[in-house]
Amino acid sequence: TIEFRDLYYAYVKSDPIYGNIYILDILLVYKKFKGKKMTIKVRRHVFAREPILKTHVRVRELESVPTPVPIVVPGGDAAPGYDVDERHAMTILFTISGDNKLSALQRFLHDYEREVLLNMQPVKLLVVLFRDSTHGAEIENLLKSKVANLEKDYPGFHFQIVELSGKFSRGIGLSSGLQHCRDSDLVFILDVDIKFNLKSLENVRHFVTEGKSVYFPIVFSEFQDSGGYWRDFGYGIMAGYRKDIISAGGYNTNIKGWGIEDVDLYEKLLKSNISVFRSVDPNLVHKYHKVTCSSTLAREQAMMCETSRANTFLSIQSLYNLVLNSSIITP
């Protein structure tokens, strides 16, 4: 007999064209009573779609998730069991420039050691470093020394630093990083200010399918004082297979300064035959840092930068209290 045992989690996406899309993680139990009694626990990922017209449900296994190995547990329900984890390898890619990111880099590499290396995750770290003759020596020295220590402490893991010269451009940096990846590589593009954990890596593996889907998580962004908000206007964090990103058009390397390169890629993927999965992810947190908008930015980029700076500064309640207790309002 086969029994439904548990629902680990479920994601629901409402699409105005295709209807509701469900991704379920369920536990099934197969019991054999004849001959040698045994219990087999099987964990399955199920994909279900509910179209808007002529409602029906289509169930299939996600092709991006490897078929779990059933666990044979002799002795019945009381016997202990465990899940066998077969994980897709991936590359974590980010760009960095400037000595003002020293503390952020240290925090990121600490998280990487705790979440990736200590958990024996099949992950490669690829960092694109912009070198500037006027500044950036400290960040370069810190990155190289930290990576050298990690290579020594964790032999067998792959680390790579790509060095570029000139003014920082995220689009150019990420395009350069993708050139050092294979078409079949699953790439998780992060930011040095992002705090991540093991669950965020699992979400990438669940939501990205080669040739079919990419993932743009909505991250939680911290305010200056406390609390935060869901960064639903941000598209800088994404995951996909290198071939799918490049075939959609990749990053625009002509964009200079802050922003827009992520929105440009997002729009390209929306127009392609690749499905874009977007959902809030509490496992990805954008740590607060001061935002400076250059006066040389193009009008659209400047507006986006100012909006991001204003949204991240303080919550509405904190701003209200600040104004209420200031000299702006006089009796």
Side-chain angles (χ1 to χ4, degrees):
T1 59
I2 299 177
E3 299 178 359
F4 170 79
R5 182 53 58 87
D6 198 2
L7 173 65
Y8 288 129
Y9 62 79
Y11 285 89
V12 181
K13 175 187 177 184
S14 296
D15 190 292
I17 298 178
Y18 300 106
N20 294 325
I21 299 172
Y22 305 87
I23 296 178
L24 310 175
D25 187 349
I26 62 176
L27 177 67
L28 301 175
V29 176
Y30 168 75
K31 294 182 179 180
K32 180 181 177 184
F33 297 100
K34 294 183 179 181
K36 184 178 180 180
K37 295 182 179 180
M38 64 178 63
T39 299
I40 301 177
K41 296 182 180 180
V42 182
R43 187 173 177 179
R44 286 288 184 266
H45 291 90
V46 180
F47 175 92
R49 175 175 289 172
E50 183 182 17
I52 296 176
L53 300 177
K54 195 179 179 180
T55 305
H56 67 278
V57 176
R58 181 187 178 193
V59 180
R60 68 177 178 84
E61 290 187 7
L62 285 173
E63 296 179 5
S64 64
V65 180
T67 303
V69 178
I71 298 97
V72 180
V73 183
D77 289 341
Y82 61 91
D83 292 328
V84 175
D85 185 15
E86 295 185 10
R87 301 163 295 181
H88 286 296
M90 75 171 67
T91 297
I92 289 181
L93 167 63
F94 71 92
T95 61
I96 193 167
S97 174
D99 293 338
N100 61 331
K101 293 296 183 180
L102 289 170
S103 60
L105 177 61
Q106 293 188 54
R107 180 181 61 240
F108 187 96
L109 294 179
H110 175 75
D111 291 343
Y112 190 86
E113 180 177 15
R114 183 186 65 246
E115 303 297 333
V116 174
L117 303 179
L118 292 178
N119 285 290
M120 302 294 290
Q121 287 286 314
V123 176
K124 167 187 173 180
L125 181 62
L126 176 55
V127 184
V128 179
L129 170 67
F130 278 83
R131 302 179 61 184
D132 192 323
S133 58
T134 58
H135 64 279
E138 288 187 62
I139 198 76
E140 178 182 351
N141 293 336
L142 176 65
L143 175 62
K144 291 182 177 180
S145 64
K146 288 287 187 180
V147 167
N149 290 334
L150 291 176
E151 287 178 323
K152 179 181 178 181
D153 294 339
Y154 300 93
F157 286 90
H158 192 184
F159 305 85
Q160 184 176 3
I161 300 175
V162 177
E163 298 183 44
L164 299 179
S165 300
K167 192 173 182 180
F168 176 79
S169 168
R170 191 167 186 266
I172 293 176
L174 293 178
S175 294
S176 177
L178 289 172
Q179 291 177 6
H180 288 80
C181 300
R182 298 172 299 179
D183 278 346
S184 59
D185 285 351
L186 172 57
V187 185
F188 189 16
I189 296 175
L190 286 174
D191 187 273
V192 72
D193 295 303
I194 292 291
K195 187 175 181 62
F196 70 99
N197 60 24
L198 190 61
K199 182 62 179 176
S200 62
L201 304 183
E202 295 175 0
N203 287 340
V204 168
R205 295 185 177 109
H206 291 164
F207 299 144
V208 179
T209 306
E210 186 175 5
K212 294 186 177 181
S213 65
V214 295
Y215 179 40
F216 281 82
I218 301 174
V219 307
F220 186 78
S221 189
E222 291 184 344
F223 290 132
Q224 180 182 11
D225 52 357
S226 62
Y229 68 102
W230 292 108
R231 207 179 185 94
D232 55 1
F233 57 83
Y235 302 92
I237 310 306
M238 69 87 61
Y241 280 85
R242 191 259 188 192
K243 181 179 180 180
D244 297 333
I245 297 173
I246 298 301
S247 64
Y251 286 97
N252 187 340
T253 56
N254 294 320
I255 296 175
K256 307 299 181 182
W258 186 94
I260 294 190
E261 84 289 329
D262 52 349
V263 179
D264 179 78
L265 177 62
Y266 180 75
E267 292 178 344
K268 289 175 181 175
L269 286 163
L270 285 177
K271 297 175 183 178
S272 71
N273 60 351
I274 302 294
S275 297
V276 176
F277 192 89
R278 186 156 171 80
S279 174
V280 297
D281 192 338
N283 306 287
L284 295 170
V285 178
H286 183 272
K287 305 296 290 183
Y288 174 81
H289 63 85
K290 184 178 179 181
V291 177
T292 302
C293 300
S294 173
S295 59
T296 61
L297 288 175
R299 183 174 180 274
E300 185 179 0
Q301 290 173 277
M303 290 178 61
M304 293 176 62
C305 184
E306 292 293 347
T307 299
S308 177
R309 181 171 67 172
N311 287 338
T312 308
F313 183 57
L314 289 172
S315 65
I316 297 297
Q317 184 63 46
S318 296
L319 288 172
Y320 170 80
N321 293 333
L322 183 65
V323 173
L324 189 64
N325 297 319
S326 71
S327 59
I328 298 177
I329 299 179
T330 56

